[in-house]
Amino acid sequence: MLHGGRRHDFHLLKQEFPPELPWFENCTIRVDSGYTGIVNSYPCKNVSIPHKKSKNKPLTNELKTTNKQLASERIFVEHSIAGLKRFRILSDRLRIHNFDLYDKILGVCAGLWNFNLAN
């Protein structure tokens, strides 16, 4: 189901994957700073989340380097999402009521984007 930008990512994650079940128990997860409470809500093998500076305590150079490394790994995911959004099926309002058809269209778009990356 598509949601507008007004919903927080972590709230949507909890809606789709209830924290009571062990969804990510054996997984290594890389998330952005919008998922700050994921460590407390879900049991995970390993979680990579960027550090935030606080009002009175800036980040050290070591934490900044760690954040840059996480961002350099995550940029490939962000570019893939942007590539799919070029087909406008992820960014426009959903007007197809048949979710199976929507999944097939999304799969075709992902295949076309992967083909574009391979060439």
Side-chain angles (χ1 to χ4, degrees):
M1 180 181 278
L2 292 178
H3 298 278
R6 297 178 188 177
R7 304 292 300 263
H8 291 285
D9 295 338
F10 188 51
H11 177 75
L12 294 174
L13 177 75
K14 285 200 265 185
Q15 241 180 354
E16 294 294 323
F17 299 100
E20 299 82 33
L21 299 175
W23 296 103
F24 311 114
E25 197 171 79
N26 299 322
C27 299
T28 299
I29 299 176
R30 294 184 182 115
V31 293
D32 60 12
S33 58
Y35 295 89
T36 303
I38 196 167
V39 177
N40 301 328
S41 298
Y42 293 94
C44 304
K45 188 167 114 179
N46 189 12
V47 177
S48 297
I49 189 166
H51 301 280
K52 289 184 175 182
K53 69 175 187 171
S54 67
K55 184 176 180 181
N56 299 323
K57 190 175 172 186
L59 291 176
T60 64
N61 287 335
E62 180 182 321
L63 292 178
K64 286 182 184 179
T65 305
T66 304
N67 281 353
K68 285 182 183 179
Q69 180 185 7
L70 290 174
S72 68
E73 294 171 1
R74 180 147 172 78
I75 195 67
F76 297 108
V77 174
E78 296 293 338
H79 285 169
S80 298
I81 293 169
L84 283 175
K85 285 184 176 182
R86 290 180 187 169
F87 293 103
R88 296 185 57 178
I89 192 157
L90 290 178
S91 55
D92 286 351
R93 182 174 289 265
L94 177 64
R95 298 183 191 275
I96 301 171
H97 299 291
N98 184 348
F99 287 111
D100 291 332
L101 177 61
Y102 182 75
D103 284 341
K104 288 178 185 175
I105 293 171
L106 185 60
V108 168
C109 292
L112 287 171
W113 181 247
N114 287 336
F115 180 74
N116 182 36
L117 291 177
N119 291 329

